[in-house]
Amino acid sequence: MTMATTTDYYELLCVSRTADDATLKSAYRKLAMQWHPDRNPGDAHAEAHFKAISQAYDCLKDPQKRAAYDRFGHEAYENGMSGGGGRGGAEGFSDLGDIFDTIFGGGFGGAGGRRGPARGADLRYDMEISLEEAYHGKSSEISIDVAATCDTCDGKGAEPGTKVRTCNLCGGSGKMRAQQGFFVVERTCPNCHGSGQVIENPCRTCRGEGRVDKQQTLSVDIPPGVDNGTRIRLTGKGEAGPKGSPPGDLYIFIHVSRHRIFERDGTTLVTRAPISITTAALGGEIEIPGLDGKRHRINIPAGIQSGKQLRQRGAGMPVLQGRGTGDMVIQIDVETPTRLTARQKELLREFQDTETGQESPESTGFFARLKEMWDGIGE
Ligand SMILES: [Zn+2]
Ligand SMILES: [Zn+2]
């Protein structure tokens, strides 16, 4: 059996823990191309590595699995396979998805309970904010429907005043062990669903669940500098746990909407500034309204060309949970006038004459010399 050297999923894919979906996908594609068995025929190491990165991507591309992976960590994932003699190999690989679901109780939190007590599911909330809000940060109130502890039974699931008894199938442990291929897989007891107890008279409010859906209003603090894909965790604000166990977490996924002036590249704000041909030729000053609320005066040096980039230090985005701010980059677009008055045309022709040297034959202009050159080639 080939053993893949497995490390942290993020490390396997060479991405940061905050990498967004697009980054993950491209990182995976690159690595998959490199390590694909078709490209490395007969190389067992390459094959094992290819499986490992596929498995890592398989987990991280799924927001629910990723949140669970982030929460439980790699250790929990590894330890979930008891008595199977390690991971790796083709047989193991095909079973991993199933084992993963078992470990994490069907995806997102759920009634797991293998390590520590069972807890409620993690939840995801997508929030769209403007670039200005990403710059300044914001406090926001959100309203979510979430399973909360039932008040009637205090989360116990039993009708008040009635008794619960120990489950006789699992003897109160809430777990059962089963052989699955090479592995011994621990499963939640189907009789008591992991609680170890059986309710004889279920609470009528929550039908024995211990939880009911409630609308909750939460205040969320978005720190300055968040970007697309930033996730903010609100500990304990996810679903209430089954039978009064601890709640899961709520993850706020940030989406920053497009801005009419700025494009963002990390902490750099990029914008285009159209300037007239006279400003380009003679130099001058333009004003750009920054996200900091200031009007930044940008000096345009005489003779600037279209496409030239100017940098205004410190006028970019703040560093998330850090100090300082990035820069603003202004890309110059020299605009050719399209509607000219008769007087303007007259002036430009006059300018053209000085340039082509018709006015003073001694100082032959560049374009005139260029034309001569081309004419010369044609002969
Ligand atoms: Zn209840
Ligand atoms: Zn049981």
Side-chain angles (χ1 to χ4, degrees):
M1 189 188 265
T2 315
M3 301 295 285
T5 315
T6 52
T7 52
D8 181 83
Y9 285 166
Y10 293 96
E11 286 169 24
L12 270 173
L13 294 175
C14 308
V15 295
S16 78
R17 302 193 87 78
T18 54
D20 60 18
D21 293 351
T23 310
L24 270 176
K25 194 172 185 177
S26 78
Y28 168 67
R29 277 198 179 163
K30 219 171 87 189
L31 288 167
M33 293 264 278
Q34 187 186 341
W35 293 98
H36 198 278
D38 289 355
R39 288 199 158 194
N40 305 275
D43 183 343
H45 169 70
E47 190 182 342
H49 194 72
F50 175 73
K51 279 166 185 166
I53 57 172
S54 303
Q55 173 195 321
Y57 180 63
D58 214 45
C59 164
L60 298 184
K61 75 176 179 190
D62 182 325
Q64 298 197 337
K65 282 184 182 172
R66 182 176 176 177
Y69 182 81
D70 287 347
R71 197 181 79 211
F72 287 91
H74 198 80
E75 280 297 295
Y77 180 92
E78 297 242 301
N79 292 339
M81 298 200 301
S82 54
R87 70 164 59 224
E91 303 89 349
F93 182 67
S94 60
D95 276 334
L96 286 173
D98 183 42
I99 289 163
F100 196 86
D101 280 347
T102 310
I103 293 167
F104 295 130
F108 218 136
R114 269 138 212 87
R115 293 169 71 82
R119 42 167 287 171
D122 289 338
L123 297 176
R124 170 180 174 144
Y125 183 92
D126 290 277
M127 183 185 280
E128 179 147 351
I129 62 171
S130 68
L131 190 59
E132 281 86 354
E133 289 169 332
Y135 180 91
H136 294 287
K138 77 183 271 205
S139 291
S140 179
E141 293 225 312
I142 60 166
S143 208
I144 54 166
D145 277 319
V146 61
T149 303
C150 171
D151 290 332
T152 309
C153 63
D154 204 22
K156 291 185 180 71
E159 189 69 14
T162 65
K163 289 219 166 112
V164 294
R165 62 170 174 80
T166 303
C167 172
N168 51 21
L169 191 63
C170 62
S173 70
K175 298 166 199 167
M176 300 189 73
R177 289 165 82 85
Q179 189 79 23
Q180 189 181 73
F182 286 106
F183 304 105
V184 175
V185 179
E186 216 165 53
R187 290 201 179 280
T188 303
C189 169
N191 189 40
C192 63
H193 308 290
S195 70
Q197 295 182 319
V198 175
I199 294 157
E200 309 222 284
N201 296 291
C203 165
R204 273 173 289 191
T205 310
C206 62
R207 291 195 206 90
E209 276 284 301
R211 300 176 285 184
V212 280
D213 278 351
K214 276 183 197 161
Q215 199 180 61
Q216 291 197 341
T217 306
L218 298 168
S219 55
V220 183
D221 278 324
I222 310 294
V226 292
D227 203 346
N228 268 321
T230 302
R231 291 177 298 157
I232 296 163
R233 184 167 76 172
L234 301 186
T235 308
K237 298 297 183 189
E239 268 189 19
K243 312 286 190 294
S245 57
D249 299 332
L250 174 66
Y251 288 87
I252 311 285
F253 281 63
I254 299 293
H255 304 270
V256 182
S257 45
R258 282 186 76 85
H259 193 268
R260 67 197 160 84
I261 302 178
F262 294 110
E263 276 190 50
R264 178 179 183 176
D265 183 9
T267 57
T268 306
L269 287 173
V270 183
T271 188
R272 304 172 80 96
I275 61 170
S276 67
I277 51 169
T278 49
T279 305
L282 303 172
E285 200 178 63
I286 55 169
E287 275 193 353
I288 310 267
L291 292 180
D292 49 10
K294 292 183 195 146
R295 299 189 73 83
H296 293 271
R297 300 163 82 86
I298 312 293
N299 182 54
I300 307 289
I304 198 166
Q305 303 295 315
S306 225
K308 168 87 180 164
Q309 293 191 332
L310 301 173
R311 187 172 284 266
Q312 181 81 346
R313 300 229 172 260
M317 293 297 286
V319 177
L320 179 62
Q321 285 166 336
R323 282 158 182 249
T325 45
D327 298 337
M328 186 195 286
V329 167
I330 303 110
Q331 179 165 329
I332 297 298
D333 286 332
V334 178
E335 286 196 320
T336 308
T338 49
R339 264 172 292 183
L340 293 167
T341 65
R343 171 74 182 138
Q344 283 171 328
K345 278 183 189 168
E346 191 188 318
L347 284 168
L348 277 174
R349 283 205 187 91
E350 214 173 291
F351 171 71
Q352 189 180 37
D353 287 346
T354 66
E355 213 185 22
T356 54
Q358 282 180 24
E359 198 175 62
S360 52
E362 288 80 18
S363 61
T364 307
F366 171 74
F367 287 103
R369 273 183 279 141
L370 193 68
K371 188 170 182 297
E372 262 175 34
M373 230 170 75
W374 283 111
D375 289 350
I377 291 166
E379 279 169 17

PDB file of all heavy atoms in Angstrom, residues 354-366:
ATOM      1  N   THR A 354       4.214  74.305 -36.523  1.00  0.00           N
ATOM      2  CA  THR A 354       5.502  74.476 -35.834  1.00  0.00           C
ATOM      3  C   THR A 354       6.172  73.125 -35.695  1.00  0.00           C
ATOM      4  O   THR A 354       7.382  73.008 -35.746  1.00  0.00           O
ATOM      5  CB  THR A 354       5.316  75.065 -34.411  1.00  0.00           C
ATOM      6  OG1 THR A 354       4.629  74.102 -33.607  1.00  0.00           O
ATOM      7  CG2 THR A 354       4.572  76.375 -34.431  1.00  0.00           C
ATOM      8  N   GLU A 355       5.360  72.087 -35.545  1.00  0.00           N
ATOM      9  CA  GLU A 355       5.914  70.761 -35.322  1.00  0.00           C
ATOM     10  C   GLU A 355       6.496  70.162 -36.591  1.00  0.00           C
ATOM     11  O   GLU A 355       7.545  69.540 -36.570  1.00  0.00           O
ATOM     12  CB  GLU A 355       4.802  69.855 -34.792  1.00  0.00           C
ATOM     13  CG  GLU A 355       5.310  68.827 -33.841  1.00  0.00           C
ATOM     14  CD  GLU A 355       4.226  67.854 -33.420  1.00  0.00           C
ATOM     15  OE1 GLU A 355       3.220  67.705 -34.135  1.00  0.00           O
ATOM     16  OE2 GLU A 355       4.415  67.263 -32.371  1.00  0.00           O
ATOM     17  N   THR A 356       5.784  70.333 -37.725  1.00  0.00           N
ATOM     18  CA  THR A 356       6.261  69.743 -38.977  1.00  0.00           C
ATOM     19  C   THR A 356       7.308  70.620 -39.649  1.00  0.00           C
ATOM     20  O   THR A 356       7.921  70.234 -40.633  1.00  0.00           O
ATOM     21  CB  THR A 356       5.108  69.521 -39.964  1.00  0.00           C
ATOM     22  OG1 THR A 356       4.421  70.761 -40.128  1.00  0.00           O
ATOM     23  CG2 THR A 356       4.143  68.476 -39.462  1.00  0.00           C
ATOM     24  N   GLY A 357       7.500  71.778 -39.103  1.00  0.00           N
ATOM     25  CA  GLY A 357       8.589  72.623 -39.577  1.00  0.00           C
ATOM     26  C   GLY A 357       8.254  73.473 -40.787  1.00  0.00           C
ATOM     27  O   GLY A 357       9.139  74.105 -41.363  1.00  0.00           O
ATOM     28  N   GLN A 358       6.977  73.470 -41.212  1.00  0.00           N
ATOM     29  CA  GLN A 358       6.616  74.302 -42.363  1.00  0.00           C
ATOM     30  C   GLN A 358       6.839  75.787 -42.076  1.00  0.00           C
ATOM     31  O   GLN A 358       7.068  76.574 -42.971  1.00  0.00           O
ATOM     32  CB  GLN A 358       5.144  74.062 -42.735  1.00  0.00           C
ATOM     33  CG  GLN A 358       4.970  72.765 -43.512  1.00  0.00           C
ATOM     34  CD  GLN A 358       3.540  72.503 -43.883  1.00  0.00           C
ATOM     35  OE1 GLN A 358       2.735  73.434 -43.968  1.00  0.00           O
ATOM     36  NE2 GLN A 358       3.221  71.245 -44.113  1.00  0.00           N
ATOM     37  N   GLU A 359       6.751  76.098 -40.796  1.00  0.00           N
ATOM     38  CA  GLU A 359       6.911  77.509 -40.435  1.00  0.00           C
ATOM     39  C   GLU A 359       8.387  77.897 -40.440  1.00  0.00           C
ATOM     40  O   GLU A 359       8.754  78.955 -40.906  1.00  0.00           O
ATOM     41  CB  GLU A 359       6.312  77.761 -39.041  1.00  0.00           C
ATOM     42  CG  GLU A 359       6.034  79.231 -38.781  1.00  0.00           C
ATOM     43  CD  GLU A 359       5.341  79.416 -37.452  1.00  0.00           C
ATOM     44  OE1 GLU A 359       5.934  79.063 -36.422  1.00  0.00           O
ATOM     45  OE2 GLU A 359       4.196  79.894 -37.449  1.00  0.00           O
ATOM     46  N   SER A 360       9.205  76.985 -39.924  1.00  0.00           N
ATOM     47  CA  SER A 360      10.639  77.278 -39.946  1.00  0.00           C
ATOM     48  C   SER A 360      11.378  76.037 -40.452  1.00  0.00           C
ATOM     49  O   SER A 360      11.527  75.063 -39.748  1.00  0.00           O
ATOM     50  CB  SER A 360      11.130  77.637 -38.538  1.00  0.00           C
ATOM     51  OG  SER A 360      10.742  76.629 -37.631  1.00  0.00           O
ATOM     52  N   PRO A 361      11.776  76.034 -41.701  1.00  0.00           N
ATOM     53  CA  PRO A 361      12.355  74.853 -42.340  1.00  0.00           C
ATOM     54  C   PRO A 361      13.579  74.304 -41.602  1.00  0.00           C
ATOM     55  O   PRO A 361      13.875  73.117 -41.718  1.00  0.00           O
ATOM     56  CB  PRO A 361      12.759  75.368 -43.721  1.00  0.00           C
ATOM     57  CG  PRO A 361      11.949  76.608 -43.934  1.00  0.00           C
ATOM     58  CD  PRO A 361      11.744  77.210 -42.588  1.00  0.00           C
ATOM     59  N   GLU A 362      14.258  75.146 -40.845  1.00  0.00           N
ATOM     60  CA  GLU A 362      15.450  74.679 -40.141  1.00  0.00           C
ATOM     61  C   GLU A 362      15.112  73.641 -39.067  1.00  0.00           C
ATOM     62  O   GLU A 362      15.793  72.648 -38.916  1.00  0.00           O
ATOM     63  CB  GLU A 362      16.201  75.861 -39.474  1.00  0.00           C
ATOM     64  CG  GLU A 362      16.923  76.756 -40.462  1.00  0.00           C
ATOM     65  CD  GLU A 362      15.955  77.752 -41.129  1.00  0.00           C
ATOM     66  OE1 GLU A 362      14.846  77.955 -40.587  1.00  0.00           O
ATOM     67  OE2 GLU A 362      16.296  78.295 -42.152  1.00  0.00           O
ATOM     68  N   SER A 363      14.040  73.921 -38.333  1.00  0.00           N
ATOM     69  CA  SER A 363      13.710  73.031 -37.215  1.00  0.00           C
ATOM     70  C   SER A 363      12.691  71.974 -37.639  1.00  0.00           C
ATOM     71  O   SER A 363      11.544  72.006 -37.244  1.00  0.00           O
ATOM     72  CB  SER A 363      13.158  73.843 -36.040  1.00  0.00           C
ATOM     73  OG  SER A 363      11.982  74.500 -36.456  1.00  0.00           O
ATOM     74  N   THR A 364      13.124  71.051 -38.475  1.00  0.00           N
ATOM     75  CA  THR A 364      12.219  70.027 -38.997  1.00  0.00           C
ATOM     76  C   THR A 364      11.716  69.131 -37.865  1.00  0.00           C
ATOM     77  O   THR A 364      12.507  68.614 -37.085  1.00  0.00           O
ATOM     78  CB  THR A 364      12.944  69.167 -40.046  1.00  0.00           C
ATOM     79  OG1 THR A 364      13.500  70.037 -41.010  1.00  0.00           O
ATOM     80  CG2 THR A 364      11.977  68.220 -40.728  1.00  0.00           C
ATOM     81  N   GLY A 365      10.408  68.990 -37.793  1.00  0.00           N
ATOM     82  CA  GLY A 365       9.790  68.211 -36.705  1.00  0.00           C
ATOM     83  C   GLY A 365      10.035  66.717 -36.838  1.00  0.00           C
ATOM     84  O   GLY A 365      10.401  66.218 -37.902  1.00  0.00           O
ATOM     85  N   PHE A 366       9.801  66.019 -35.798  1.00  0.00           N
ATOM     86  CA  PHE A 366      10.023  64.574 -35.735  1.00  0.00           C
ATOM     87  C   PHE A 366       9.167  63.814 -36.738  1.00  0.00           C
ATOM     88  O   PHE A 366       9.645  62.957 -37.463  1.00  0.00           O
ATOM     89  CB  PHE A 366       9.720  64.085 -34.319  1.00  0.00           C
ATOM     90  CG  PHE A 366       9.711  62.596 -34.211  1.00  0.00           C
ATOM     91  CD1 PHE A 366      10.915  61.892 -34.239  1.00  0.00           C
ATOM     92  CD2 PHE A 366       8.525  61.889 -34.096  1.00  0.00           C
ATOM     93  CE1 PHE A 366      10.920  60.517 -34.138  1.00  0.00           C
ATOM     94  CE2 PHE A 366       8.526  60.506 -34.004  1.00  0.00           C
ATOM     95  CZ  PHE A 366       9.728  59.818 -34.017  1.00  0.00           C
TER      96      PHE A 366
END
